[in-house]
Amino acid sequence: MERCAAFLIEEPENLRGRWLARFPGHARLYVELGCGKGRFTADTAVALPDTLYVAVERVPDAMILAMEKIDRRGIENVRFIDGDAKLLTAMFAEGEAARIYINFCDPWPKSRDAKLRLTAPGFLRLYADVLQEGGQIHFKTDNTPLFDWSITQLEDEGWALSEITHDLHANGPVGVMTDYEAKFVEQGMKINRLVATKTGATKGTAAGAVPRLRNASLTDARGYEESLEANRRNAT
Ligand SMILES: C[S@@+](CC[C@H](N)C(=O)[O-])C[C@H]1O[C@@H](n2cnc3c(N)ncnc32)[C@H](O)[C@@H]1O
């Protein structure tokens, strides 16, 4: 941890609203939630040298491996926060970020845990607060029930969806892979991906009460259309 101290932001709340001023020479701020061991973090940051890339990870053991990777490769545009995504609005000011990456987040399959999913409405509203208008969430997962459930949440929360695919690598590898993704792809599993864009209709924390999540179990892996229809019925 000591060797990587240069990359670690211990008190992110002190940089809230000042990230790009504190680290000049960057055109924009991207945030990754749950970076794990940091393969995606490192490769994406290298591809985007004029972007300040902040990785948030709540498990220090994984984050240390990610920081070592950044150190070893001499990458300078990444900083890490040892923290929880639920505190995002304490770390970043309104409209401060241009993009949020969420890769292979924990599916929390039980209905009673649905609010812990990083694509649950409570989290989506935090993302809407810290993203600028036109800012995006880039989301990947191997878990199709989670993916389809997330589509419904994003639509209900007013995000504009694009680039939706249930088989990202159908025609060969696409984009930067994460540690988990590389393993799944090796096992022949399909990867889901989408981009969600913040619009004038996207709900932030000011929108009021977060909808209650009913019948949100992911153990029943229904088809895509059927799942969307069932979730819509449950929401009304
Ligand atoms: C399944 S791993 C995926 C890691 C990496 N994104 C990948 O694709 O290889 C999920 C990661 O998200 C982190 N995580 C889960 N919930 C989080 C939260 N609320 N805030 C920050 N990190 C979180 C976990 O600690 C874990 O490292």
Side-chain angles (χ1 to χ4, degrees), residues 167-185:
D167 192 1
L168 177 62
H169 306 297
N171 300 313
V174 174
V176 175
M177 286 209 203
T178 81
D179 291 282
Y180 271 81
E181 184 174 7
K183 283 184 208 150
F184 288 135
V185 168

Side-chain angles (χ1 to χ4, degrees), residues 124-146:
L124 295 182
R125 293 199 179 179
L126 302 179
Y127 310 155
D129 279 8
V130 303
L131 281 173
Q132 57 205 44
E133 180 112 10
Q136 295 180 329
I137 302 170
H138 287 214
F139 174 48
K140 288 199 274 191
T141 178
D142 60 303
N143 190 308
T144 300
L146 170 67

Side-chain angles (χ1 to χ4, degrees), residues 14-112:
N14 291 343
L15 289 183
R16 188 178 184 276
R18 302 193 308 112
W19 283 91
L20 290 177
R22 170 66 185 79
F23 299 105
H26 299 102
R28 64 194 75 77
L29 170 71
Y30 285 3
V31 177
E32 183 184 355
L33 302 178
C35 67
K37 297 178 189 168
R39 170 178 169 155
F40 181 89
T41 314
D43 290 345
T44 305
V46 165
L48 303 168
D50 63 343
T51 298
L52 177 63
Y53 194 101
V54 178
V56 179
E57 172 55 61
R58 69 175 181 188
V59 174
D61 287 355
M63 202 185 67
I64 287 170
L65 297 176
M67 289 198 291
E68 283 174 353
K69 211 166 271 165
I70 296 299
D71 184 35
R72 226 174 19 246
R73 291 178 56 179
I75 300 170
E76 293 184 349
N77 56 328
V78 180
R79 293 295 180 276
F80 290 88
I81 297 173
D82 175 14
D84 197 303
K86 71 183 178 195
L87 300 174
L88 208 62
T89 52
M91 303 166 183
F92 305 101
E94 203 167 308
E96 192 167 18
R99 184 176 294 179
I100 294 175
Y101 291 107
I102 303 172
N103 293 317
F104 301 85
C105 59
D106 305 312
W108 294 102
K110 290 187 179 147
S111 187
R112 67 164 182 264

Side-chain angles (χ1 to χ4, degrees), residues 74 86 115 130 182 189 208 217:
K86 71 183 178 195
K115 61 181 179 302
V130 303
M189 291 174 72
S217 165

Side-chain angles (χ1 to χ4, degrees), residues 193-208:
R193 178 178 183 270
L194 64 74
V195 171
T197 303
K198 178 179 165 179
T199 71
T202 305
K203 294 176 191 165
T205 55

